Amino acid sequence: MKELQATAHSLLRKGRELRVRVKEVHDETGVGHMLIFGEPADDCLVRIHSRCLYGDVLGSQDCDCGPELELAMDLIQGEGGQGVLIYLEQEGRGAGLEVKAMGLHLGEETGADTFDAYRRLGHPDDSRTYDHAAYALAALGLRSVRLMTNNPDKVAALRDAGLIVAAVPLETEPRSPQAALYMAAKAKRRSAYPGHAGIGGRDPAIAPCGRTVDSAARHQDR
């Protein structure tokens, strides 16, 4: 914990100061960083976010990655700057930026969505893992979290690691027709239920309109 405290500093976001500490998280399948805002305790807000250079940094309007990250940070700030962001280096659903670009090129040429494109290129739909993120949260001493996500795979990974999870959907609107198609493809192919209206189906643990469903009973049944 002394090493963690040595990273403590302030950053200014949207005119408000946040206190943050940083720790690397990794295992044999991936690496990333855990940003600990304030002094998070049980039931704090948590976002596990896979890197999207186009959406997070370049402001691409073709996906929902940037808006989801921004909304997650807004929600953490709305709770006094208490929460955790785990930023994983799993670009292109774990395939990497070059494969992602190849998939986008193939999609433009053939009309395939990114999931079909990856398969045609010989890659799995989604090769990401979240175990190292889950164990990093447990190592902080957290037993229960409110996970900001539209992806049931992330909820399942944290539960499998022994955490009690209440899922908080991130409701964003597609910023372009391409983004709408991408979000629809996620709902169809991965059962990652987008938070915006018009695409049906959700994990029962992911409540509509930003509300959460306590999953303690479901966790105990597993």
Side-chain angles (χ1 to χ4, degrees), residues 11-160:
L11 64 86
L12 193 66
R13 179 180 184 272
K14 295 189 175 182
R16 297 168 63 185
E17 185 178 281
L18 282 167
R19 290 294 295 175
V20 60
R21 292 166 290 162
V22 180
K23 182 174 179 59
E24 186 174 273
V25 297
H26 58 84
D27 64 8
E28 66 277 6
T29 62
V31 66
H33 290 86
M34 178 166 59
L35 281 67
I36 305 161
F37 297 99
E39 298 293 338
D42 279 345
D43 299 321
C44 67
L45 288 171
V46 171
R47 170 66 180 170
I48 299 174
H49 191 89
S50 297
R51 187 183 77 165
C52 175
L53 177 65
Y54 292 170
D56 298 345
V57 179
L58 303 183
S60 170
Q61 296 178 325
D62 293 335
C63 65
D64 57 346
C65 305
E68 284 190 353
L69 179 58
E70 181 176 17
L71 177 56
M73 286 303 305
D74 287 348
L75 291 171
I76 288 174
Q77 283 194 272
E79 295 206 350
Q82 311 293 323
V84 179
L85 168 66
I86 299 182
Y87 196 86
L88 300 178
E89 298 296 327
Q90 297 189 141
E91 179 78 57
R93 297 196 298 273
L97 182 58
E98 187 171 358
V99 170
K100 174 179 176 176
M102 292 169 65
L104 292 171
H105 173 80
L106 183 59
E108 289 182 353
E109 293 289 317
T110 67
D113 64 38
T114 60
F115 298 91
D116 278 337
Y118 275 28
R119 282 197 292 270
R120 294 184 192 183
L121 292 169
H123 296 275
D125 285 358
D126 192 335
S127 57
R128 292 175 295 178
T129 62
Y130 307 107
D131 292 346
H132 50 324
Y135 294 130
L137 291 169
L140 281 181
L142 296 174
R143 296 169 297 178
S144 59
V145 300
R146 287 176 291 146
L147 183 65
M148 297 177 284
T149 187
N150 302 323
N151 188 341
D153 290 345
K154 296 178 182 179
V155 176
L158 267 58
R159 288 179 181 158
D160 288 344

Side-chain angles (χ1 to χ4, degrees), residues 1-9 19 21 39:
M1 294 299 279
K2 183 179 293 185
E3 291 181 0
L4 185 60
Q5 192 58 35
T7 69
H9 64 283
R19 290 294 295 175
R21 292 166 290 162
E39 298 293 338

